[in-house]
Amino acid sequence: DEAAGIDPTTPPLSRVALTRLTDTRVQIVWTFHHLLLDGWSLPLVMADLFTAYRQQPLPTRPPFRNHLAWLARQDTQAAHTHWQNVLDGYDTPVPLPYDRTPDDPRTARSTERVEWVPPAEFSEALHVFARRRRITLNTVVQGAWALLLAAHSGRTDIVFGATTSGRPADQPDAEHTIGIYINTLPVRTTIDPTTTVTHWLHTLQNQQTEARRHDHLPLTHIHHHTPLPTDTPLFDSLVVFENYPVDENTARTHHLTVHDITANEATNYPL
């Protein structure tokens, strides 16, 4: 089913296969194009599915058009000014340590997945570090990625991609809406050995807080604020910090048990 892919010009953009394993167990294979949904939407769809399975009334969810109307009201000029300032002087993407430069990075597909679960004491140490310095764990992860790229590229001016939820705080119904909200934005930071780690991470976090005020601008528009050709990606690596509100009790409420959830995602970034 994954190999079949999805052609955006040919319906449907979502399909489901249901395989009965035993009298009480089934396996669901759900394939959909990212144009339809983001990760935050998945538990919302599943909650509606469990409700429908028990033949109970479905909740009334806010229409996605509310978000489109919100986008139309945003100050795009202020956003363009912000990203122009962020990318001022950036003309060379940070290279990855390729053994062979890809012919076309835009067609990259994941060929390998490496999973690592940190030991409990390591994870706790990260949380303590972040709490004591009043920074988010996301900032710590982005800082670590920036240092890694700097070490392998020899650069001090580092730019990589980061995915934002795109669900604005001033749009309260966004958390309950099913649709595609996410955006991919450039993160730019300078590695300065004379700056303390805490000060550097606070600067990075403040920059990202400011960027959230302008995260509605599409990446293709942001790209125009660099001298890079439109067919040259701004970055080759993408960092995604995910924390989805998955409610494991929803299925139990409907006398169902869900387990062994896996997801295979496709991206057009090499790493």
Side-chain angles (χ1 to χ4, degrees), residues 21-235:
L21 305 180
T22 68
D23 289 341
T24 58
R25 295 176 68 239
V26 297
Q27 181 171 14
I28 299 174
V29 178
W30 180 20
T31 302
F32 62 89
H33 198 288
H34 222 330
L35 284 170
L36 295 182
L37 304 169
D38 55 20
W40 190 283
S41 299
L42 300 186
L44 303 181
V45 173
M46 296 306 293
D48 288 356
L49 172 65
F50 300 146
T51 301
Y53 178 80
R54 298 293 293 179
Q55 297 182 343
Q56 297 177 352
L58 288 173
T60 301
R61 297 202 177 276
F64 186 69
R65 69 171 65 94
N66 291 356
H67 180 58
L68 300 180
W70 179 89
L71 287 174
R73 297 193 300 269
Q74 301 313 297
D75 188 345
T76 56
Q77 185 55 51
H80 276 289
T81 299
H82 169 80
W83 291 111
Q84 184 175 12
N85 293 334
V86 168
L87 295 173
D88 182 41
Y90 179 64
D91 57 8
T92 306
V94 179
L96 293 180
Y98 291 119
D99 58 346
R100 180 177 61 84
T101 303
D103 297 327
D104 186 357
R106 294 172 301 172
T107 60
R109 290 292 298 269
S110 300
T111 57
E112 186 173 353
R113 180 185 180 96
V114 179
E115 294 190 10
W116 178 66
V117 179
E121 59 273 14
F122 179 84
S123 180
E124 177 60 22
L126 280 181
H127 281 86
V128 171
F129 176 88
R131 283 197 302 270
R132 288 179 176 174
R133 288 156 182 82
R134 296 185 178 182
I135 55 179
T136 65
L137 202 57
N138 182 27
T139 300
V140 176
V141 171
Q142 289 190 353
W145 190 250
L147 289 174
L148 188 67
L149 289 179
H152 282 284
S153 67
R155 303 275 185 87
T156 56
D157 185 6
I158 301 300
V159 175
F160 57 89
T163 300
T164 64
S165 70
R167 294 178 184 252
D170 60 349
Q171 194 183 134
D173 59 355
E175 292 188 358
H176 307 290
T177 305
I178 295 172
I180 177 70
Y181 282 79
I182 63 169
N183 195 8
T184 299
L185 302 171
V187 176
R188 188 179 190 183
T189 184
T190 301
I191 309 298
D192 182 1
T194 65
T195 303
T196 65
V197 170
T198 299
H199 177 74
W200 175 61
L201 289 176
H202 271 290
T203 300
L204 179 61
Q205 179 164 283
N206 291 336
Q207 291 170 340
Q208 293 310 294
T209 300
E210 177 64 18
R212 294 294 82 78
R213 297 177 55 229
H214 309 286
D215 65 357
H216 55 275
L217 201 65
L219 183 61
T220 51
H221 293 189
I222 296 174
H223 195 292
H224 294 321
H225 295 298
T226 73
L228 295 170
T230 55
D231 59 349
T232 300
L234 288 176
F235 39 80

